[in-house]
């Protein structure tokens, strides 16, 4: 087997294509009124439905929609959040991720989620989250950017009581043992073309641009880097500060005392945070105009969604 040449690409059309492919299994939820013009005349019931106010018709649509039939990932279009199920996979030790993809980096993550990374990415885009850029290390460090994403985690204890905490409460600074107080951003990882080294060398010898070679486009976060606490260029979500276990930078570990038992089923909520104009808030005459976002009400999603389902659904 030849060595792989990872030719990084930032191709604008790939993410919309993945978004469409992710939502195709749920197309009936998204295309409520896309019927062709040459269909049979509408019935009286259809005409009555069409006459309803737009607000009433919008409220009748399901707010929570599953993105893929075999993956426990949903979007809530009203509260603007991505919801996904997983389970606790580690309670003690150094961390590079808060949440990874199942079967990848469980030895350095608190939670594992049974999904593909691009599905979660597509969900964030679908609710309007703004993607930034991954971390850069060369020629000098540039922090990852993107919209701030709040991460909340829910679980039920042995008595069936529901708990909700910020994901940061399950992570602590390895040096001072305090809860991590940084927020995650949405850099969105990147794509690379899978081309063998041999093919690249041959192309160069023949005067062909290696970038033009055919190859499979791969979303880098599929390696497991879903919600990271160490900087990776492949991170779908990352911390906007230098974070590594080297060179005396930030170094995080699991906050064991705050984490339930391994195997506990959890539900994660990814909530894009609105940007607030500080000057506008200071000049606001109405106090309501300057208030910050209120915490999301997470009771309803627990009622509308099925029970925790960290495993691939049948």
């Amino acid at each position: 087997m030849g060595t792989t040449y990872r030719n990084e690409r930032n191709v604008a059309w790939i993410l919309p294509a993945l978004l469409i492919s992710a939502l195709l299994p749920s197309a009936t939820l998204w295309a409520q009124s896309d019927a062709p013009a040459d269909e049979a005349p509408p019935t009286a019931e259809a005409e009555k439905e069409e006459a309803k106010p737009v607000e009433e018709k919008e409220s009748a649509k399901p707010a929570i929609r599953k993105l893929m039939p075999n993956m426990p990932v949903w979007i809530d279009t009203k509260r603007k959040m991505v919801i996904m199920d997983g389970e606790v996979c580690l309670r003690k030790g150094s961390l590079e991720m808060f949440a990874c993809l199942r079967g990848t980096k469980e030895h350095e993550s608190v939670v594992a989620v049974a999904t593909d990374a691009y599905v979660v990415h597509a969900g964030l885009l679908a609710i309007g989250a703004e993607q930034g850029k991954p971390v850069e290390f060369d020629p000098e460090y540039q922090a990852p950017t993107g919209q701030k994403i709040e991460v909340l985690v829910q679980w039920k204890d042995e008595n069936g009581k529901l708990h909700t905490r910020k994901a940061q409460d399950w992570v602590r600074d390895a040096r001072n043992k305090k809860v991590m107080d940084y927020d995650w951003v949405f850099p969105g990882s990147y794509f690379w073309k899978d081309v063998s080294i041999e093919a690249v060398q041959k192309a160069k010898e023949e005067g062909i641009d290696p970038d033009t070679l055919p190859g499979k486009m791969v979303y880098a976060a599929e390696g497991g880097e879903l919600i990271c606490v160490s900087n990776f260029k492949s991170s779908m979500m990352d911390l906007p500060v230098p974070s590594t276990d080297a060179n005396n930078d930030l170094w995080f570990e699991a906050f064991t005392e705050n984490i339930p038992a391994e195997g506990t089923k959890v539900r994660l909520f990814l909530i894009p945070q609105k940007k607030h104009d500080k000057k506008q808030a200071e000049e606001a005459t109405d106090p309501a105009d300057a208030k910050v976002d209120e915490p999301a009400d997470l009771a309803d999603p627990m009622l509308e969604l099925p029970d925790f389902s960290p495993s691939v659904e049948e």
Side-chain angles (χ1 to χ4, degrees):
M1 182 179 295
T3 305
T4 298
Y5 168 73
R6 296 193 173 189
N7 182 15
E8 295 177 14
R9 287 291 188 88
N10 184 13
V11 184
W13 55 265
I14 294 179
L15 285 175
L18 286 177
L19 175 59
I20 292 172
S21 65
L23 300 181
L24 280 177
S26 305
T28 55
L29 295 176
W30 295 87
Q32 302 287 334
S33 57
D34 291 340
D38 57 355
E39 284 190 352
T43 63
E45 289 77 8
E47 291 179 344
K48 183 177 180 181
E49 176 66 23
E50 186 64 27
K52 291 182 179 180
V54 174
E55 294 80 4
E56 185 176 345
K57 287 189 290 185
E58 287 294 328
S59 64
K61 294 181 181 180
I64 297 181
R65 307 174 183 183
K66 194 171 189 182
L67 293 184
M68 295 290 277
N70 63 336
M71 299 180 191
V73 182
W74 300 259
I75 58 172
D76 186 327
T77 57
K78 288 186 178 180
R79 281 162 290 211
K80 304 298 182 184
M81 61 176 70
V82 173
I83 307 167
M84 56 185 180
D85 284 355
E87 63 183 26
V88 175
C89 57
L90 182 144
R91 296 184 65 247
K92 186 176 182 179
S94 299
L95 299 177
E96 294 198 341
M97 270 74 65
F98 169 76
C100 69
L101 306 180
R102 191 173 66 176
T104 60
K105 307 292 179 65
E106 283 92 338
H107 63 288
E108 51 195 5
S109 308
V110 180
V111 174
V113 184
T115 184
D116 290 337
Y118 84 90
V119 175
V120 183
H121 189 147
L124 285 170
L125 293 179
I127 59 173
E130 296 180 10
Q131 178 182 340
K133 295 182 179 180
V135 65
E136 292 287 351
F137 297 102
D138 187 29
E140 60 184 19
Y141 177 83
Q142 294 184 33
T145 63
Q147 188 167 1
K148 183 190 301 184
I149 308 291
E150 182 178 25
V151 182
L152 300 178
V153 57
Q154 270 191 357
W155 75 100
K156 295 178 181 178
D157 61 24
E158 60 275 11
N159 298 318
K161 182 180 179 181
L162 185 66
H163 300 267
T164 304
R165 298 284 292 270
K166 294 184 68 173
Q168 285 91 333
D169 292 343
W170 287 11
V171 181
R172 67 184 178 189
D173 189 306
R175 296 168 298 182
N176 60 29
K177 307 303 180 182
K178 293 183 179 180
V179 168
M180 185 182 79
D181 58 359
Y182 298 100
D183 295 305
W184 280 282
V185 294
F186 177 38
S189 191
Y190 67 94
F191 286 88
W192 53 271
K193 184 185 287 187
D194 191 359
V195 182
S196 69
I197 290 292
E198 292 79 3
V200 172
Q201 292 174 340
K202 183 178 180 181
K204 289 181 177 179
E205 292 171 359
E206 297 176 353
I208 300 174
D209 183 353
D211 286 351
T212 64
L213 294 176
K216 180 182 178 182
M217 298 304 296
V218 180
Y219 183 47
E222 300 301 350
E225 295 83 5
L226 193 64
I227 304 176
C228 297
V229 296
S230 286
N231 294 148
F232 293 102
K233 191 174 179 65
S234 54
S235 301
M236 190 205 73
M237 287 172 52
D238 204 347
L239 298 179
V241 292
S243 177
T244 176
D245 60 359
N247 301 323
N248 296 318
D249 285 329
L250 291 172
W251 175 23
F252 297 105
E253 63 184 11
F255 203 140
T256 307
E257 294 82 355
N258 292 348
I259 305 172
E262 289 186 20
T264 298
K265 299 174 183 179
V266 299
R267 178 157 286 165
L268 302 182
F269 299 83
L270 311 184
I271 309 171
Q273 299 298 289
K274 296 179 181 178
K275 297 179 181 179
H276 295 282
D277 188 320
K278 183 177 180 181
K279 182 177 180 181
Q280 183 178 3
E282 291 175 349
E283 296 176 352
T285 55
D286 185 348
D289 295 336
K291 69 179 181 180
V292 297
D293 294 332
E294 296 180 357
D297 179 6
L298 304 185
D300 288 345
M302 291 298 301
L303 296 175
E304 296 176 44
L305 291 171
D307 286 339
F308 289 119
S309 53
S311 301
V312 175
E313 298 179 8
E314 300 295 337

PDB file of all heavy atoms in Angstrom, residues 133-161:
ATOM      1  N   LYS A 133     -12.007  29.517  10.816  1.00  0.00           N
ATOM      2  CA  LYS A 133     -10.835  28.869  10.231  1.00  0.00           C
ATOM      3  C   LYS A 133     -10.107  28.051  11.296  1.00  0.00           C
ATOM      4  O   LYS A 133     -10.052  28.447  12.458  1.00  0.00           O
ATOM      5  CB  LYS A 133      -9.884  29.913   9.645  1.00  0.00           C
ATOM      6  CG  LYS A 133     -10.465  30.675   8.462  1.00  0.00           C
ATOM      7  CD  LYS A 133      -9.439  31.661   7.915  1.00  0.00           C
ATOM      8  CE  LYS A 133     -10.002  32.418   6.722  1.00  0.00           C
ATOM      9  NZ  LYS A 133      -8.999  33.379   6.173  1.00  0.00           N
ATOM     10  N   PRO A 134      -9.528  26.913  10.897  1.00  0.00           N
ATOM     11  CA  PRO A 134      -8.773  26.088  11.848  1.00  0.00           C
ATOM     12  C   PRO A 134      -7.508  26.781  12.335  1.00  0.00           C
ATOM     13  O   PRO A 134      -7.061  27.770  11.755  1.00  0.00           O
ATOM     14  CB  PRO A 134      -8.430  24.833  11.028  1.00  0.00           C
ATOM     15  CG  PRO A 134      -9.389  24.827   9.890  1.00  0.00           C
ATOM     16  CD  PRO A 134      -9.637  26.268   9.580  1.00  0.00           C
ATOM     17  N   VAL A 135      -6.929  26.228  13.380  1.00  0.00           N
ATOM     18  CA  VAL A 135      -5.686  26.742  13.939  1.00  0.00           C
ATOM     19  C   VAL A 135      -4.565  26.688  12.906  1.00  0.00           C
ATOM     20  O   VAL A 135      -4.562  25.821  12.018  1.00  0.00           O
ATOM     21  CB  VAL A 135      -5.296  25.920  15.198  1.00  0.00           C
ATOM     22  CG1 VAL A 135      -4.988  24.476  14.827  1.00  0.00           C
ATOM     23  CG2 VAL A 135      -4.119  26.556  15.918  1.00  0.00           C
ATOM     24  N   GLU A 136      -3.631  27.623  13.008  1.00  0.00           N
ATOM     25  CA  GLU A 136      -2.429  27.614  12.170  1.00  0.00           C
ATOM     26  C   GLU A 136      -1.212  27.622  13.089  1.00  0.00           C
ATOM     27  O   GLU A 136      -1.203  28.314  14.114  1.00  0.00           O
ATOM     28  CB  GLU A 136      -2.397  28.836  11.259  1.00  0.00           C
ATOM     29  CG  GLU A 136      -3.468  28.855  10.173  1.00  0.00           C
ATOM     30  CD  GLU A 136      -3.192  27.865   9.055  1.00  0.00           C
ATOM     31  OE1 GLU A 136      -2.087  27.279   9.041  1.00  0.00           O
ATOM     32  OE2 GLU A 136      -4.084  27.671   8.203  1.00  0.00           O
ATOM     33  N   PHE A 137      -0.190  26.843  12.724  1.00  0.00           N
ATOM     34  CA  PHE A 137       1.035  26.792  13.519  1.00  0.00           C
ATOM     35  C   PHE A 137       2.244  27.333  12.769  1.00  0.00           C
ATOM     36  O   PHE A 137       3.267  27.638  13.379  1.00  0.00           O
ATOM     37  CB  PHE A 137       1.323  25.350  13.943  1.00  0.00           C
ATOM     38  CG  PHE A 137       0.266  24.759  14.833  1.00  0.00           C
ATOM     39  CD1 PHE A 137      -0.670  23.881  14.326  1.00  0.00           C
ATOM     40  CD2 PHE A 137       0.203  25.089  16.179  1.00  0.00           C
ATOM     41  CE1 PHE A 137      -1.648  23.328  15.146  1.00  0.00           C
ATOM     42  CE2 PHE A 137      -0.760  24.550  17.008  1.00  0.00           C
ATOM     43  CZ  PHE A 137      -1.692  23.663  16.492  1.00  0.00           C
ATOM     44  N   ASP A 138       2.145  27.431  11.455  1.00  0.00           N
ATOM     45  CA  ASP A 138       3.279  27.827  10.631  1.00  0.00           C
ATOM     46  C   ASP A 138       2.885  28.986   9.718  1.00  0.00           C
ATOM     47  O   ASP A 138       1.835  28.923   9.070  1.00  0.00           O
ATOM     48  CB  ASP A 138       3.734  26.623   9.786  1.00  0.00           C
ATOM     49  CG  ASP A 138       5.017  26.875   9.028  1.00  0.00           C
ATOM     50  OD1 ASP A 138       5.840  27.680   9.504  1.00  0.00           O
ATOM     51  OD2 ASP A 138       5.174  26.275   7.948  1.00  0.00           O
ATOM     52  N   PRO A 139       3.624  30.076   9.693  1.00  0.00           N
ATOM     53  CA  PRO A 139       4.943  30.279  10.351  1.00  0.00           C
ATOM     54  C   PRO A 139       4.825  30.651  11.826  1.00  0.00           C
ATOM     55  O   PRO A 139       5.806  30.608  12.554  1.00  0.00           O
ATOM     56  CB  PRO A 139       5.534  31.439   9.550  1.00  0.00           C
ATOM     57  CG  PRO A 139       4.349  32.214   9.095  1.00  0.00           C
ATOM     58  CD  PRO A 139       3.279  31.199   8.819  1.00  0.00           C
ATOM     59  N   GLU A 140       3.617  31.048  12.270  1.00  0.00           N
ATOM     60  CA  GLU A 140       3.421  31.340  13.687  1.00  0.00           C
ATOM     61  C   GLU A 140       2.004  30.958  14.082  1.00  0.00           C
ATOM     62  O   GLU A 140       1.129  30.756  13.228  1.00  0.00           O
ATOM     63  CB  GLU A 140       3.661  32.825  13.980  1.00  0.00           C
ATOM     64  CG  GLU A 140       2.752  33.763  13.216  1.00  0.00           C
ATOM     65  CD  GLU A 140       3.076  35.226  13.461  1.00  0.00           C
ATOM     66  OE1 GLU A 140       4.193  35.526  13.928  1.00  0.00           O
ATOM     67  OE2 GLU A 140       2.209  36.065  13.187  1.00  0.00           O
ATOM     68  N   TYR A 141       1.787  30.843  15.367  1.00  0.00           N
ATOM     69  CA  TYR A 141       0.480  30.399  15.862  1.00  0.00           C
ATOM     70  C   TYR A 141      -0.616  31.419  15.570  1.00  0.00           C
ATOM     71  O   TYR A 141      -0.471  32.614  15.820  1.00  0.00           O
ATOM     72  CB  TYR A 141       0.545  30.156  17.371  1.00  0.00           C
ATOM     73  CG  TYR A 141      -0.790  29.764  17.980  1.00  0.00           C
ATOM     74  CD1 TYR A 141      -1.228  28.451  17.942  1.00  0.00           C
ATOM     75  CD2 TYR A 141      -1.605  30.721  18.579  1.00  0.00           C
ATOM     76  CE1 TYR A 141      -2.455  28.080  18.487  1.00  0.00           C
ATOM     77  CE2 TYR A 141      -2.840  30.362  19.132  1.00  0.00           C
ATOM     78  CZ  TYR A 141      -3.254  29.045  19.077  1.00  0.00           C
ATOM     79  OH  TYR A 141      -4.475  28.689  19.612  1.00  0.00           O
ATOM     80  N   GLN A 142      -1.714  30.913  15.007  1.00  0.00           N
ATOM     81  CA  GLN A 142      -2.921  31.702  14.834  1.00  0.00           C
ATOM     82  C   GLN A 142      -4.081  30.883  15.394  1.00  0.00           C
ATOM     83  O   GLN A 142      -4.313  29.751  14.954  1.00  0.00           O
ATOM     84  CB  GLN A 142      -3.178  32.034  13.358  1.00  0.00           C
ATOM     85  CG  GLN A 142      -2.136  32.947  12.759  1.00  0.00           C
ATOM     86  CD  GLN A 142      -2.467  33.324  11.323  1.00  0.00           C
ATOM     87  OE1 GLN A 142      -3.631  33.442  10.947  1.00  0.00           O
ATOM     88  NE2 GLN A 142      -1.430  33.511  10.521  1.00  0.00           N
ATOM     89  N   ALA A 143      -4.777  31.437  16.355  1.00  0.00           N
ATOM     90  CA  ALA A 143      -5.844  30.710  17.037  1.00  0.00           C
ATOM     91  C   ALA A 143      -6.980  30.369  16.080  1.00  0.00           C
ATOM     92  O   ALA A 143      -7.251  31.105  15.125  1.00  0.00           O
ATOM     93  CB  ALA A 143      -6.386  31.543  18.197  1.00  0.00           C
ATOM     94  N   PRO A 144      -7.662  29.251  16.314  1.00  0.00           N
ATOM     95  CA  PRO A 144      -8.834  28.927  15.502  1.00  0.00           C
ATOM     96  C   PRO A 144      -9.931  29.966  15.715  1.00  0.00           C
ATOM     97  O   PRO A 144     -10.023  30.563  16.796  1.00  0.00           O
ATOM     98  CB  PRO A 144      -9.248  27.545  16.021  1.00  0.00           C
ATOM     99  CG  PRO A 144      -8.685  27.464  17.400  1.00  0.00           C
ATOM    100  CD  PRO A 144      -7.413  28.249  17.352  1.00  0.00           C
ATOM    101  N   THR A 145     -10.736  30.174  14.697  1.00  0.00           N
ATOM    102  CA  THR A 145     -11.805  31.163  14.772  1.00  0.00           C
ATOM    103  C   THR A 145     -13.141  30.510  14.432  1.00  0.00           C
ATOM    104  O   THR A 145     -13.203  29.365  13.996  1.00  0.00           O
ATOM    105  CB  THR A 145     -11.545  32.329  13.814  1.00  0.00           C
ATOM    106  OG1 THR A 145     -11.538  31.825  12.452  1.00  0.00           O
ATOM    107  CG2 THR A 145     -10.225  33.001  14.107  1.00  0.00           C
ATOM    108  N   GLY A 146     -14.206  31.272  14.597  1.00  0.00           N
ATOM    109  CA  GLY A 146     -15.544  30.787  14.295  1.00  0.00           C
ATOM    110  C   GLY A 146     -16.514  31.225  15.378  1.00  0.00           C
ATOM    111  O   GLY A 146     -16.111  31.744  16.427  1.00  0.00           O
ATOM    112  N   GLN A 147     -17.790  31.027  15.119  1.00  0.00           N
ATOM    113  CA  GLN A 147     -18.804  31.431  16.086  1.00  0.00           C
ATOM    114  C   GLN A 147     -18.663  30.640  17.377  1.00  0.00           C
ATOM    115  O   GLN A 147     -18.337  29.450  17.374  1.00  0.00           O
ATOM    116  CB  GLN A 147     -20.207  31.230  15.504  1.00  0.00           C
ATOM    117  CG  GLN A 147     -21.324  31.794  16.372  1.00  0.00           C
ATOM    118  CD  GLN A 147     -22.640  31.863  15.621  1.00  0.00           C
ATOM    119  OE1 GLN A 147     -22.740  31.473  14.468  1.00  0.00           O
ATOM    120  NE2 GLN A 147     -23.672  32.355  16.284  1.00  0.00           N
ATOM    121  N   LYS A 148     -18.888  31.316  18.492  1.00  0.00           N
ATOM    122  CA  LYS A 148     -18.835  30.644  19.782  1.00  0.00           C
ATOM    123  C   LYS A 148     -20.011  29.665  19.897  1.00  0.00           C
ATOM    124  O   LYS A 148     -21.143  30.003  19.573  1.00  0.00           O
ATOM    125  CB  LYS A 148     -18.901  31.659  20.921  1.00  0.00           C
ATOM    126  CG  LYS A 148     -18.771  31.056  22.324  1.00  0.00           C
ATOM    127  CD  LYS A 148     -19.084  32.062  23.407  1.00  0.00           C
ATOM    128  CE  LYS A 148     -18.189  33.260  23.365  1.00  0.00           C
ATOM    129  NZ  LYS A 148     -18.469  34.190  24.500  1.00  0.00           N
ATOM    130  N   ILE A 149     -19.712  28.451  20.360  1.00  0.00           N
ATOM    131  CA  ILE A 149     -20.736  27.411  20.505  1.00  0.00           C
ATOM    132  C   ILE A 149     -20.784  26.958  21.956  1.00  0.00           C
ATOM    133  O   ILE A 149     -19.794  26.443  22.483  1.00  0.00           O
ATOM    134  CB  ILE A 149     -20.455  26.184  19.612  1.00  0.00           C
ATOM    135  CG1 ILE A 149     -20.207  26.604  18.153  1.00  0.00           C
ATOM    136  CG2 ILE A 149     -21.602  25.183  19.720  1.00  0.00           C
ATOM    137  CD1 ILE A 149     -21.411  27.141  17.433  1.00  0.00           C
ATOM    138  N   GLU A 150     -21.920  27.160  22.615  1.00  0.00           N
ATOM    139  CA  GLU A 150     -22.087  26.641  23.974  1.00  0.00           C
ATOM    140  C   GLU A 150     -22.370  25.149  23.902  1.00  0.00           C
ATOM    141  O   GLU A 150     -23.142  24.695  23.050  1.00  0.00           O
ATOM    142  CB  GLU A 150     -23.227  27.359  24.686  1.00  0.00           C
ATOM    143  CG  GLU A 150     -23.412  26.888  26.126  1.00  0.00           C
ATOM    144  CD  GLU A 150     -24.506  27.631  26.864  1.00  0.00           C
ATOM    145  OE1 GLU A 150     -25.430  28.150  26.205  1.00  0.00           O
ATOM    146  OE2 GLU A 150     -24.438  27.691  28.105  1.00  0.00           O
ATOM    147  N   VAL A 151     -21.751  24.389  24.793  1.00  0.00           N
ATOM    148  CA  VAL A 151     -21.959  22.939  24.843  1.00  0.00           C
ATOM    149  C   VAL A 151     -22.527  22.574  26.205  1.00  0.00           C
ATOM    150  O   VAL A 151     -21.888  22.807  27.231  1.00  0.00           O
ATOM    151  CB  VAL A 151     -20.644  22.169  24.599  1.00  0.00           C
ATOM    152  CG1 VAL A 151     -20.906  20.661  24.604  1.00  0.00           C
ATOM    153  CG2 VAL A 151     -20.004  22.596  23.279  1.00  0.00           C
ATOM    154  N   LEU A 152     -23.730  22.024  26.207  1.00  0.00           N
ATOM    155  CA  LEU A 152     -24.366  21.563  27.432  1.00  0.00           C
ATOM    156  C   LEU A 152     -24.503  20.043  27.374  1.00  0.00           C
ATOM    157  O   LEU A 152     -24.677  19.464  26.301  1.00  0.00           O
ATOM    158  CB  LEU A 152     -25.747  22.198  27.600  1.00  0.00           C
ATOM    159  CG  LEU A 152     -25.785  23.729  27.672  1.00  0.00           C
ATOM    160  CD1 LEU A 152     -27.230  24.215  27.802  1.00  0.00           C
ATOM    161  CD2 LEU A 152     -24.955  24.255  28.830  1.00  0.00           C
ATOM    162  N   VAL A 153     -24.409  19.412  28.532  1.00  0.00           N
ATOM    163  CA  VAL A 153     -24.512  17.962  28.596  1.00  0.00           C
ATOM    164  C   VAL A 153     -25.596  17.577  29.593  1.00  0.00           C
ATOM    165  O   VAL A 153     -25.697  18.148  30.677  1.00  0.00           O
ATOM    166  CB  VAL A 153     -23.150  17.324  28.969  1.00  0.00           C
ATOM    167  CG1 VAL A 153     -22.630  17.877  30.284  1.00  0.00           C
ATOM    168  CG2 VAL A 153     -23.235  15.815  29.031  1.00  0.00           C
ATOM    169  N   GLN A 154     -26.432  16.613  29.202  1.00  0.00           N
ATOM    170  CA  GLN A 154     -27.513  16.110  30.056  1.00  0.00           C
ATOM    171  C   GLN A 154     -27.341  14.613  30.278  1.00  0.00           C
ATOM    172  O   GLN A 154     -26.885  13.896  29.388  1.00  0.00           O
ATOM    173  CB  GLN A 154     -28.880  16.346  29.403  1.00  0.00           C
ATOM    174  CG  GLN A 154     -29.526  17.646  29.751  1.00  0.00           C
ATOM    175  CD  GLN A 154     -30.980  17.697  29.288  1.00  0.00           C
ATOM    176  OE1 GLN A 154     -31.492  16.772  28.655  1.00  0.00           O
ATOM    177  NE2 GLN A 154     -31.649  18.785  29.593  1.00  0.00           N
ATOM    178  N   TRP A 155     -27.745  14.167  31.468  1.00  0.00           N
ATOM    179  CA  TRP A 155     -27.756  12.737  31.762  1.00  0.00           C
ATOM    180  C   TRP A 155     -28.703  12.486  32.919  1.00  0.00           C
ATOM    181  O   TRP A 155     -29.134  13.403  33.620  1.00  0.00           O
ATOM    182  CB  TRP A 155     -26.357  12.245  32.097  1.00  0.00           C
ATOM    183  CG  TRP A 155     -25.849  12.617  33.463  1.00  0.00           C
ATOM    184  CD1 TRP A 155     -25.819  11.844  34.587  1.00  0.00           C
ATOM    185  CD2 TRP A 155     -25.295  13.899  33.868  1.00  0.00           C
ATOM    186  NE1 TRP A 155     -25.290  12.539  35.653  1.00  0.00           N
ATOM    187  CE2 TRP A 155     -24.964  13.795  35.232  1.00  0.00           C
ATOM    188  CE3 TRP A 155     -25.061  15.101  33.208  1.00  0.00           C
ATOM    189  CZ2 TRP A 155     -24.402  14.855  35.942  1.00  0.00           C
ATOM    190  CZ3 TRP A 155     -24.503  16.157  33.912  1.00  0.00           C
ATOM    191  CH2 TRP A 155     -24.180  16.031  35.254  1.00  0.00           C
ATOM    192  N   LYS A 156     -29.048  11.226  33.111  1.00  0.00           N
ATOM    193  CA  LYS A 156     -29.900  10.827  34.224  1.00  0.00           C
ATOM    194  C   LYS A 156     -29.095   9.969  35.182  1.00  0.00           C
ATOM    195  O   LYS A 156     -28.337   9.094  34.751  1.00  0.00           O
ATOM    196  CB  LYS A 156     -31.115  10.046  33.708  1.00  0.00           C
ATOM    197  CG  LYS A 156     -32.056  10.878  32.850  1.00  0.00           C
ATOM    198  CD  LYS A 156     -33.214  10.042  32.325  1.00  0.00           C
ATOM    199  CE  LYS A 156     -34.140  10.870  31.442  1.00  0.00           C
ATOM    200  NZ  LYS A 156     -35.252  10.060  30.875  1.00  0.00           N
ATOM    201  N   ASP A 157     -29.257  10.245  36.484  1.00  0.00           N
ATOM    202  CA  ASP A 157     -28.525   9.452  37.470  1.00  0.00           C
ATOM    203  C   ASP A 157     -29.242   8.128  37.728  1.00  0.00           C
ATOM    204  O   ASP A 157     -30.248   7.814  37.089  1.00  0.00           O
ATOM    205  CB  ASP A 157     -28.317  10.246  38.766  1.00  0.00           C
ATOM    206  CG  ASP A 157     -29.631  10.649  39.428  1.00  0.00           C
ATOM    207  OD1 ASP A 157     -30.660   9.980  39.200  1.00  0.00           O
ATOM    208  OD2 ASP A 157     -29.621  11.656  40.180  1.00  0.00           O
ATOM    209  N   GLU A 158     -28.718   7.367  38.677  1.00  0.00           N
ATOM    210  CA  GLU A 158     -29.279   6.033  38.946  1.00  0.00           C
ATOM    211  C   GLU A 158     -30.705   6.092  39.454  1.00  0.00           C
ATOM    212  O   GLU A 158     -31.436   5.084  39.402  1.00  0.00           O
ATOM    213  CB  GLU A 158     -28.396   5.281  39.950  1.00  0.00           C
ATOM    214  CG  GLU A 158     -28.241   5.958  41.303  1.00  0.00           C
ATOM    215  CD  GLU A 158     -27.138   6.987  41.326  1.00  0.00           C
ATOM    216  OE1 GLU A 158     -26.614   7.330  40.246  1.00  0.00           O
ATOM    217  OE2 GLU A 158     -26.790   7.459  42.438  1.00  0.00           O
ATOM    218  N   ASN A 159     -31.131   7.255  39.931  1.00  0.00           N
ATOM    219  CA  ASN A 159     -32.509   7.420  40.406  1.00  0.00           C
ATOM    220  C   ASN A 159     -33.427   8.016  39.347  1.00  0.00           C
ATOM    221  O   ASN A 159     -34.591   8.309  39.627  1.00  0.00           O
ATOM    222  CB  ASN A 159     -32.524   8.315  41.651  1.00  0.00           C
ATOM    223  CG  ASN A 159     -31.748   7.701  42.809  1.00  0.00           C
ATOM    224  OD1 ASN A 159     -31.855   6.500  43.068  1.00  0.00           O
ATOM    225  ND2 ASN A 159     -30.954   8.515  43.487  1.00  0.00           N
ATOM    226  N   GLY A 160     -32.881   8.215  38.146  1.00  0.00           N
ATOM    227  CA  GLY A 160     -33.687   8.760  37.070  1.00  0.00           C
ATOM    228  C   GLY A 160     -33.779  10.272  37.073  1.00  0.00           C
ATOM    229  O   GLY A 160     -34.522  10.846  36.268  1.00  0.00           O
ATOM    230  N   LYS A 161     -33.034  10.939  37.957  1.00  0.00           N
ATOM    231  CA  LYS A 161     -33.073  12.396  38.009  1.00  0.00           C
ATOM    232  C   LYS A 161     -32.247  12.979  36.878  1.00  0.00           C
ATOM    233  O   LYS A 161     -31.128  12.541  36.609  1.00  0.00           O
ATOM    234  CB  LYS A 161     -32.534  12.892  39.356  1.00  0.00           C
ATOM    235  CG  LYS A 161     -32.589  14.404  39.506  1.00  0.00           C
ATOM    236  CD  LYS A 161     -32.054  14.850  40.864  1.00  0.00           C
ATOM    237  CE  LYS A 161     -32.079  16.367  41.004  1.00  0.00           C
ATOM    238  NZ  LYS A 161     -31.537  16.816  42.314  1.00  0.00           N
TER     239      LYS A 161
END
